[in-house]
Amino acid sequence: MKKIKFINQSLLLVMMFISSVGLFTSCKENIDESNLYTFTGETIEDYLANREDQFGHFNYILKRIGYDKILSAYGMYTCFAPNNDAVKQYIDSLYNDPANTENPHNGMTSPGLEGLTDSLCKDIALFHLLSTEVMGIDMSNGMTLGTMLGRDINTSIDSISGSTVINRYSFITSMDNELENGVLHEVSEVLQRSNRLVSGEMEQHNDIFGIFTQALKLTGLADSLTLQRHTHIDKVSSTYNFYVPKECVLGYTIFAETDETLRENGINSVEDLAKYANGVYAHCADPGSGWYDYYRNKGVQVSTGTDFTSPYNALNMFVRYHILKYKVSYDKLVRSSANDVKKVMPFDYNETMLPYTLMKIVRYQGKRNINYYATNSTLTDRVAEMASALIQTVVTTGIEVQTDNFQALNGYIHPIKGMLVYDAQVPHGVLNERLRFDDTSFLGEMMSNNFRMISDAEVRALNGGKSGSDAALGGDYIRFPNGFFEYLVIYNGDITRLYYLPGQSNNWSNYQGDEFNCMGVFDFAFRLPPVPDGTYELRMGYTANGNRGMLQFYMGPSSNISSMQALDIPLDMRHVSSSSISADGSTVVPDVVNGWSLYTYHEDLGVESDADMRNLGYMRGPLFYTVSKGGTDVARSNAQDLRRILTRQQFKQGDYWLRFKSVLPNNTGAQFHLDYIELCPENVYNNTQYIEDMY
């Protein structure tokens, strides 16, 4: 009934919403009351005001910044409301905080509610509000939520009570109170924000991370993890009403051994940790035998001395391999979608601050494990089934990431239950497999800004309730200007219109459901994720349709166009594959361009025709995901799902940039589609004993 009521008065409500958009980005003392709407039931503000003895303190904070008016207006919000006792306890802790000597009483002018400054009221209030509606069932598997403060909160399920918990300590005591303009969840504690940077936050937990904190300081890395955001972003003149970010959030993720874990490995001091690091890394760059290819190729001599600030020092290298240059919460360490067929563990590869190194994180038995390793991964001795245990054995399940992570102003700290190192087993074993990267996984800013696999509703809220429209492309997507990404460059300004399509509400045949899409006469490049030295086959996954464009690929060691060479012939993404069976049923007639045919037509399920397609520079889509959410048709059976083989060549552990340039200068409405990238080592795609699996 609530929804019907909104529809009947849609024109009035849309007008009122438009007039209130500016209120979502800043706090104003004088609220424009023209956006208010009288509801027949309770709004979020009504719910709080009608329970003064329970929520009066929190409502006082809202009123101080005028957000009682906002929560009386049309919209769809989520409010996490702490009760009076929780608010009192929290503000008492602020005023009586002995640790914050630089800002006595955390800026409060006196004890009690009246002593809160306007800025504190704003921070507290907006950290408890979302500009979209999130129900309890949405939080049941744990999720990261972007608050109206621009900071994240994280949900999880308490293992003992089964209750939903916010940020590990604030329990939802009354869930899903549905109201006229959203939903309210009562919480047991005020949600607390840390204003410390990651290294400062780690130091606050010295009883847990004492040794690692010392190592972070000795290496000088503690003082370098300071980035929070940048605004060096080109302006977009033609937005087509899409959401365009005006700044880019930056941050870090630290995986850190606890003191307990270190003691279990015979390490009781930072001196012991330095000795351990020396034992791992002393010979990693040795000529001939070293496994850290980037340093070996540079002729680096790894130091085992006490100049821990040198990037070539073993302890420094040890710490760097624990840090990602973007922030990722626990629930987003491994992303998957409803399209996954569930036969293969979801995985992601992450680039660390040890130059050009990767770690693999898998979702293993409900946990997140780093550098899980099984022999002959992505190879099989069967046809369309997983490999037998005879060839694929688990060497290590990897290092478990604990769920009780710590959030800082500019990142996350994840405790781990094992010694994390870039030893020979990582490049020679863990990463010696077909490496598939979702298009968003190698652009760290997608994680730091909480854009990766964001919901349509969240994008729409960021965009003031508007949906974009650009020729055949329209919806709740994000348009990225040049300068937003460190490792993506647009060469022709507004002519290239680069969009991110989360796809979480759509039945697209995409790996992880999402995609990047370009409109116009596009010309841009991104840096490929780094891989260990070797011969690789570089592939791009895409779906073909008549709205797509035609493009030429280029690759080089930098984003400088003059350094790049053309790869193969142009790809026409408009061509959709087709195949048939001869009239007598004896022969499969494949697509004339790429050799595609429905793999189930073949007795060998397409193994022989896979080789024919590869000779033409193409592959079918994988078995890993389905064409639609919850469906049974896999991408391998979809004529539009293809992988284009771009090159087979030697790669060194370092920089490679891939450029995509339209060859249709008069087709301003052409789409470019990028779903994922694969870098497949020669011993997988050209194995003499087994075949690459179809997943």
Side-chain angles (χ1 to χ4, degrees):
M1 292 302 294
K2 176 172 64 175
K3 308 300 182 188
I4 294 172
K5 205 181 321 175
F6 285 167
I7 293 170
N8 288 341
Q9 304 185 57
S10 59
L11 180 59
L12 173 63
L13 300 182
V14 168
M15 291 174 64
M16 291 189 296
F17 184 84
I18 292 172
S19 70
S20 68
V21 167
L23 297 174
F24 295 148
T25 55
S26 63
C27 299
K28 299 183 178 179
E29 293 180 2
N30 298 316
I31 301 299
D32 180 3
E33 299 192 14
S34 65
N35 69 320
L36 303 186
Y37 170 63
T38 301
F39 296 99
T40 57
E42 283 188 313
T43 64
I44 293 175
E45 169 57 24
D46 291 333
Y47 187 93
L48 298 171
N50 292 338
R51 296 160 180 80
E52 181 76 14
D53 59 340
Q54 188 175 2
F55 299 110
H57 292 354
F58 183 63
N59 205 26
Y60 167 88
I61 294 172
L62 293 172
K63 288 178 179 179
R64 279 277 299 271
I65 61 169
Y67 261 69
D68 57 323
K69 307 294 187 186
I70 297 294
L71 298 179
S72 296
Y74 169 73
M76 293 303 289
Y77 307 102
T78 300
C79 176
F80 296 98
N83 61 35
N84 290 344
D85 289 341
V87 173
K88 183 180 184 304
Q89 182 179 7
Y90 176 66
I91 62 176
D92 286 348
S93 70
L94 288 180
Y95 189 80
N96 299 313
D97 181 8
N100 194 352
T101 56
E102 294 182 1
N103 186 23
H105 306 302
N106 288 283
M108 290 182 62
T109 58
S110 63
L113 282 170
E114 292 75 13
L116 292 171
T117 61
D118 289 345
S119 61
L120 274 172
C121 287
K122 176 185 173 182
D123 284 0
I124 294 169
L126 299 191
F127 200 52
H128 289 75
L129 299 175
L130 315 180
S131 54
T132 55
E133 186 179 65
V134 177
M135 305 300 292
I137 192 170
D138 301 321
M139 298 182 278
S140 59
N141 292 319
M143 65 188 304
T144 300
L145 302 169
T147 69
M148 293 176 71
L149 185 61
R151 301 274 299 274
D152 296 341
I153 58 175
N154 301 285
T155 75
S156 59
I157 303 299
D158 181 66
S159 58
I160 298 175
S161 66
S163 301
T164 302
V165 189
I166 312 296
N167 287 358
R168 300 182 297 110
Y169 57 81
S170 186
F171 287 78
I172 296 181
T173 55
S174 177
M175 183 178 286
D176 292 347
N177 297 286
E178 292 191 72
L179 303 165
E180 291 282 3
N181 59 348
V183 62
L184 182 144
H185 307 289
E186 299 177 11
V187 293
S188 64
E189 306 283 342
V190 170
L191 305 182
Q192 301 178 31
R193 328 150 304 292
S194 171
N195 289 319
R196 303 181 185 91
L197 302 180
V198 283
S199 54
E201 182 65 23
M202 175 170 277
E203 191 169 9
Q204 290 298 307
H205 303 283
N206 210 47
D207 56 327
I208 300 174
F209 301 113
I211 296 174
F212 196 96
T213 298
Q214 291 181 65
L216 203 62
K217 289 181 177 180
L218 284 173
T219 57
L221 291 167
D223 296 328
S224 67
L225 306 179
T226 59
L227 294 177
Q228 297 180 52
R229 61 191 70 240
H230 79 81
T231 56
H232 308 297
I233 298 171
D234 291 353
K235 291 184 178 179
V236 177
S237 58
S238 301
T239 66
Y240 295 85
N241 289 323
F242 285 93
Y243 172 66
V244 181
K246 301 299 189 296
E247 64 177 12
C248 179
V249 175
L250 303 173
Y252 307 90
T253 302
I254 302 177
F255 300 96
E257 291 89 352
T258 63
D259 288 351
E260 180 182 1
T261 294
L262 292 173
R263 285 194 295 270
E264 290 172 354
N265 287 273
I267 298 169
N268 297 291
S269 66
V270 72
E271 291 78 15
D272 290 345
L273 184 59
K275 291 178 183 178
Y276 177 87
N278 291 344
V280 173
Y281 290 105
H283 301 289
C284 69
D286 287 358
S289 59
W291 63 88
Y292 183 19
D293 302 324
Y294 176 65
Y295 273 11
R296 188 191 67 240
N297 295 338
K298 288 182 62 176
V300 168
Q301 175 65 53
V302 174
S303 167
T304 57
T306 57
D307 181 8
F308 301 120
T309 60
S310 167
Y312 307 135
N313 176 271
L315 180 63
N316 192 291
M317 294 170 65
F318 175 88
V319 175
R320 284 179 185 271
Y321 190 64
H322 288 67
I323 306 173
L324 312 181
K325 199 178 174 181
Y326 42 87
K327 57 180 183 178
V328 192
S329 61
Y330 181 84
D331 71 294
K332 293 190 175 182
L333 286 175
V334 182
R335 301 315 308 265
S336 59
S337 77
N339 297 59
D340 293 355
V341 298
K342 313 304 181 191
K343 289 188 178 181
V344 182
M345 285 185 298
F347 59 88
D348 265 326
Y349 303 97
N350 295 269
E351 184 174 357
T352 81
M353 286 186 66
L354 181 63
Y356 302 107
T357 62
L358 298 173
M359 63 171 64
K360 179 183 181 181
I361 306 182
V362 303
R363 188 174 299 171
Y364 175 73
Q365 296 182 354
K367 302 173 183 178
R368 310 296 188 270
N369 285 18
I370 304 174
N371 289 342
Y372 174 99
Y373 170 40
T375 59
N376 293 310
S377 177
T378 66
L379 288 168
T380 184
D381 55 349
R382 302 183 178 185
V383 180
E385 296 297 326
M386 302 303 297
S388 71
L390 295 175
I391 73 162
Q392 203 169 87
T393 57
V394 176
V395 177
T396 174
T397 59
I399 297 169
E400 182 185 340
V401 182
Q402 296 179 220
T403 58
D404 52 343
N405 58 91
F406 301 86
Q407 185 180 8
L409 180 63
N410 67 336
Y412 287 92
I413 304 161
H414 299 287
I416 55 176
K417 295 183 177 180
M419 301 301 296
L420 178 60
V421 292
Y422 187 77
D423 59 11
Q425 184 173 270
V426 178
H428 298 162
V430 175
L431 302 177
N432 188 22
E433 62 182 9
R434 176 189 58 233
L435 304 167
R436 180 179 297 149
F437 301 86
D438 182 71
D439 48 14
T440 60
S441 68
F442 49 82
L443 296 172
E445 295 87 349
M446 292 297 293
M447 273 75 80
S448 290
N449 289 269
N450 207 21
F451 286 159
R452 188 179 179 193
M453 300 179 78
I454 190 174
S455 71
D456 290 358
E458 289 174 291
V459 177
R460 198 178 313 121
L462 290 171
N463 203 28
K466 301 188 301 291
S467 294
S469 178
D470 187 353
L473 186 69
D476 299 308
Y477 312 140
I478 300 172
R479 180 173 177 185
F480 288 108
N482 201 16
F484 187 85
F485 297 106
E486 180 180 3
Y487 294 134
L488 189 150
V489 175
I490 297 172
Y491 295 114
N492 57 359
D494 280 1
I495 297 173
T496 294
R497 306 192 296 276
L498 176 65
Y499 299 105
Y500 173 61
L501 285 57
Q504 303 312 299
S505 302
N506 298 278
N507 274 322
W508 297 333
S509 184
N510 283 342
Y511 176 57
Q512 297 192 359
D514 60 353
E515 64 184 57
F516 275 113
N517 198 303
C518 267
M519 295 289 289
V521 186
F522 51 84
D523 189 1
F524 72 102
F526 59 68
R527 197 199 72 166
L528 290 169
V531 291
D533 283 10
T535 300
Y536 291 84
E537 189 170 76
L538 173 63
R539 311 160 180 167
M540 185 190 82
Y542 72 99
T543 56
N545 71 46
N547 294 320
R548 306 289 193 222
M550 188 172 181
L551 71 150
Q552 178 65 55
F553 300 96
Y554 301 83
M555 192 168 72
S558 76
S559 59
N560 190 320
I561 290 177
S562 63
S563 73
M564 297 185 177
Q565 301 293 321
L567 297 178
D568 205 4
I569 61 174
L571 168 65
D572 190 347
M573 303 180 83
R574 298 167 298 182
H575 177 78
V576 178
S577 308
S578 62
S579 65
S580 60
I581 300 178
S582 60
D584 61 4
S586 62
T587 306
V588 177
V589 182
D591 185 87
V592 295
V593 172
N594 52 45
W596 186 91
S597 58
L598 186 62
Y599 79 102
T600 53
Y601 283 169
H602 304 270
E603 289 185 2
D604 65 354
L605 295 181
V607 172
E608 184 176 347
S609 60
D610 280 343
D612 295 335
M613 285 189 69
R614 290 177 56 79
N615 290 333
L616 294 171
Y618 290 88
M619 295 176 65
R620 294 178 172 93
L623 288 175
F624 189 92
Y625 61 93
T626 58
V627 174
S628 60
K629 293 179 175 64
T632 56
D633 292 335
V634 290
R636 183 171 170 82
S637 65
N638 184 18
Q640 294 177 270
D641 271 288
L642 292 167
R643 284 175 277 184
R644 173 65 178 263
I645 300 171
L646 305 183
T647 185
R648 300 182 187 101
Q649 68 173 63
Q650 178 78 18
F651 282 78
K652 295 289 187 180
Q653 193 172 26
D655 281 330
Y656 290 88
W657 284 73
L658 186 62
R659 179 187 178 196
F660 309 87
K661 187 179 189 302
S662 173
V663 296
L664 302 175
N666 298 319
N667 191 345
T668 59
Q671 292 183 24
F672 165 79
H673 171 261
L674 173 64
D675 190 8
Y676 58 92
I677 289 288
E678 290 181 351
L679 281 154
C680 186
E682 185 176 29
N683 73 293
V684 174
Y685 75 78
N686 196 29
N687 195 284
T688 58
Q689 187 173 4
Y690 306 115
I691 61 172
E692 181 182 346
D693 69 44
M694 296 178 183
Y695 288 88

